[in-house]
Amino acid sequence: MPQKFDVLVIGGGAAGLLCAIEAGKRGRRVAVLEHADRIGKKILISGGGRCNFTNIHCQPQDFLSANPHFTKSALARYTPADFLALVQKLRIPYHEKTLGQLFCDNSASDITNMLEAECRAAKAKIILNAKITEVSRDTQFAVRCDSAEYRAPALVVATGGLSIPKMGATSFGYDLARQFGLKIVPPRPGLVPLVLSPPDRKRYSGLAGVSTDVIAQAAHTPFREKMLFTHRGLSGPAILQVSSYWREGEPIQIDLAPDRDATAPMRQASARNQAAAETAFQQFLPKRLAETWLHHNAPSSWTNPSLAALEKHAHAWSLTPSGTEGFDKAEVTVGGVDTNELSSKTMESRKVPGLFFIGEVVDVTGHLGGFNFQWAWASGASAGRAV
Ligand SMILES: Cc1cc2nc3c(=O)[nH]c(=O)nc-3n(C[C@H](O)[C@H](O)[C@H](O)COP(=O)(O)OP(=O)(O)OC[C@H]3O[C@@H](n4cnc5c(N)ncnc54)[C@H](O)[C@@H]3O)c2cc1C
């Protein structure tokens, strides 16, 4: 006999759990079907184990999507203050780290425990180890698992993106969207380290571990944060941010000397040579980076026009990465269920009434800094209030 509910939520991550809480609070009989042996595995590893659960400065501009207006309604109806009210109600200690990013003081498990407790209070049932074999729709949605069948008039897909397959990420949500005739914006890794081309790797891999403050940009979108050299390429917040905008074959630009006149000390110096340049660049770059970068980017001479060219180069160092570190290392998936297919107020499919998509499976990707969770909470709440 199938078990009957008002709402079935597939995926017990950030978006699915918030949706279940909101729907349960409205008296809906909700079941969350999670294929893993516990809920919120990604929440547990997020923010270095302390979960950067929101950003108090969250704005629609902090998200990438083919439709930049899509996030507005959901973000306005469920704000960082709404999620913070939950955190404060449960007396979870937290702090602002930087740039409005809120982290747990203790552990990300405070957040999963809170979500689990709120699900219980809202009488939303969580079913773990649910291996779904088939989803169909007649008058209702039917979800078949190995040993049970569940039916409901509303089905919410909250299965996340493709990043970190070893944490349980699957293409299930995209496959289901296709099954019901919805379009997908091709998924690609976002917030991911970039791999340098073989010649650049040879030049710069010796700098692995060195980091510096830069303005990095791709597709005319700049981010001023730290950049870190790795054995294979570049990482650090500035690079993770631009990686979401970067397209295969395109260059990224790096300003190594934000707000500085890098060559000023040289123009005044009596000696103009490589050593003087290294001394000047060490005022704003770590020593090894200053030496290595100048070694590979030395001007042809030390005349005023050459120094001007060097200055320009230091502010717009252009590199063409050969790729990214892929979904194994990506924090998020860019792309997903096409927002044109969904109502921005409820996340319901325009074509298939009763079918909802929320969280990372949708073509909405936040910048680094708590925005991806805020999207998960906000889109989850939108659907939870509509189902
Ligand atoms: C290492 C790392 C650190 C991060 N840190 C932060 C951070 O600090 N702040 C921030 O804002 N964002 C962070 N993110 C991004 C954030 O974790 C995601 O954007 C967010 O979890 C998306 O929520 P979601 O509910 O849509 O998907 P998920 O949280 O991925 O949840 C999807 C759920 O669906 C389940 N599922 C998948 N397929 C099936 C299936 N076929 N059947 C049943 N269940 C299924 C999964 O097991 C999972 O529980 C981080 C991501 C990573 C990888």
Side-chain angles (χ1 to χ4, degrees), residues 175-193:
D175 299 340
L176 199 70
R178 286 194 198 96
Q179 178 190 329
F180 284 100
L182 276 66
K183 289 199 190 76
I184 303 288
V185 175
R188 59 192 167 87
L191 299 180
V192 62

Side-chain angles (χ1 to χ4, degrees), residues 10 14 37 45 75 86 91 102 106 111 142 153 158 164 181 228 238 252 259 279 283 316 335 345:
I10 306 184
D37 56 1
I45 59 160
L75 292 176
L86 261 184
R91 297 181 197 279
L102 302 190
N106 299 328
I111 300 292
I164 325 274
L228 171 74
I252 60 166
D259 304 332
T279 306
Q283 289 181 19
K345 287 202 177 68

Side-chain angles (χ1 to χ4, degrees), residues 39-381:
I39 55 157
K41 280 192 172 180
K42 248 186 213 171
I43 300 175
L44 290 171
I45 59 160
S46 68
R50 291 231 162 85
C51 186
N52 176 196
F53 55 82
T54 193
N55 190 303
I56 51 175
H57 305 309
C58 185
Q59 298 279 333
Q61 299 86 279
D62 298 311
F63 296 86
L64 292 85
S65 172
N67 175 0
H69 301 292
F70 182 79
T71 57
K72 285 183 179 165
S73 174
L75 292 176
R77 284 149 176 252
Y78 193 91
T79 64
D82 290 318
F83 192 75
L84 200 51
L86 261 184
V87 169
Q88 287 167 338
K89 185 177 97 178
L90 277 282
R91 297 181 197 279
I92 295 175
Y94 69 92
H95 61 279
E96 180 180 344
K97 198 167 174 190
T98 172
L99 305 168
Q101 302 169 7
L102 302 190
F103 283 77
C104 295
D105 285 355
N106 299 328
S107 158
S109 60
D110 283 353
I111 300 292
T112 49
N113 291 341
M114 172 189 88
L115 294 169
E116 206 168 357
E118 290 291 303
C119 277
R120 242 190 335 268
K123 299 197 164 52
K125 190 169 177 186
I126 295 173
I127 299 164
L128 299 174
N129 300 307
K131 309 287 183 230
I132 297 170
T133 52
E134 195 186 342
V135 177
S136 59
R137 176 174 176 258
D138 39 49
T139 53
Q140 297 202 328
F141 290 93
V143 178
R144 266 173 282 283
C145 294
D146 282 348
S147 55
E149 184 181 328
Y150 305 92
R151 290 181 74 86
L155 180 68
V156 183
V157 184
T159 45
L162 294 171
S163 50
I164 325 274
K166 68 172 191 276
M167 301 294 312
T170 64
S171 64
F172 183 92
Y174 311 121
D175 299 340
L176 199 70
R178 286 194 198 96
Q179 178 190 329
F180 284 100
L182 276 66
K183 289 199 190 76
I184 303 288
V185 175
R188 59 192 167 87
L191 299 180
V192 62
L194 296 173
V195 177
L196 288 176
S197 65
D200 281 335
R201 221 178 300 163
K202 216 166 156 195
R203 289 181 193 116
Y204 301 109
S205 64
L207 292 170
V210 172
S211 94
T212 188
D213 185 38
V214 300
I215 299 172
Q217 65 172 299
H220 308 291
T221 311
F223 292 92
R224 181 171 184 165
E225 288 191 61
K226 287 256 185 259
M227 174 179 85
L228 171 74
F229 286 84
T230 68
H231 290 291
R232 285 164 47 85
L234 299 173
S235 187
I239 296 300
L240 297 180
Q241 299 278 32
V242 299
S243 72
S244 299
Y245 290 84
W246 179 73
R247 298 296 190 135
E248 203 89 23
E250 287 179 5
I252 60 166
Q253 276 81 36
I254 297 162
D255 181 348
L256 289 168
D259 304 332
R260 291 192 78 110
D261 188 346
T263 54
M266 295 190 66
R267 287 198 299 276
Q268 276 118 44
S270 49
R272 291 183 175 191
N273 52 32
Q274 191 75 7
E278 285 173 10
T279 306
F281 275 53
Q282 276 172 41
Q283 289 181 19
F284 56 91
L285 292 180
K287 184 166 185 286
R288 268 204 296 148
L289 173 54
E291 288 169 1
T292 307
W293 191 82
L294 282 163
H295 174 73
H296 294 296
N297 297 274
S300 49
S301 69
W302 301 100
T303 59
N304 282 347
S306 291
L307 286 186
L310 179 65
E311 182 75 41
K312 212 169 148 195
H313 191 42
H315 290 289
W317 182 30
S318 182
L319 290 163
T320 302
S322 63
T324 75
E325 292 286 4
F327 285 113
D328 282 351
K329 297 272 169 63
E331 260 189 37
V332 287
T333 301
V334 184
V337 176
D338 191 329
T339 53
N340 287 320
E341 301 279 5
L342 307 175
S343 154
S344 62
K345 287 202 177 68
T346 63
M347 307 293 135
E348 186 172 14
S349 158
R350 295 181 190 283
K351 284 183 193 142
V352 188
L355 180 63
F356 297 72
F357 288 85
I358 56 174
E360 200 179 312
V361 72
V362 179
D363 172 33
V364 170
T365 308
H367 292 166
L368 191 73
F371 302 104
N372 284 295
F373 278 133
Q374 189 54 37
W375 170 247
W377 317 134
S379 58

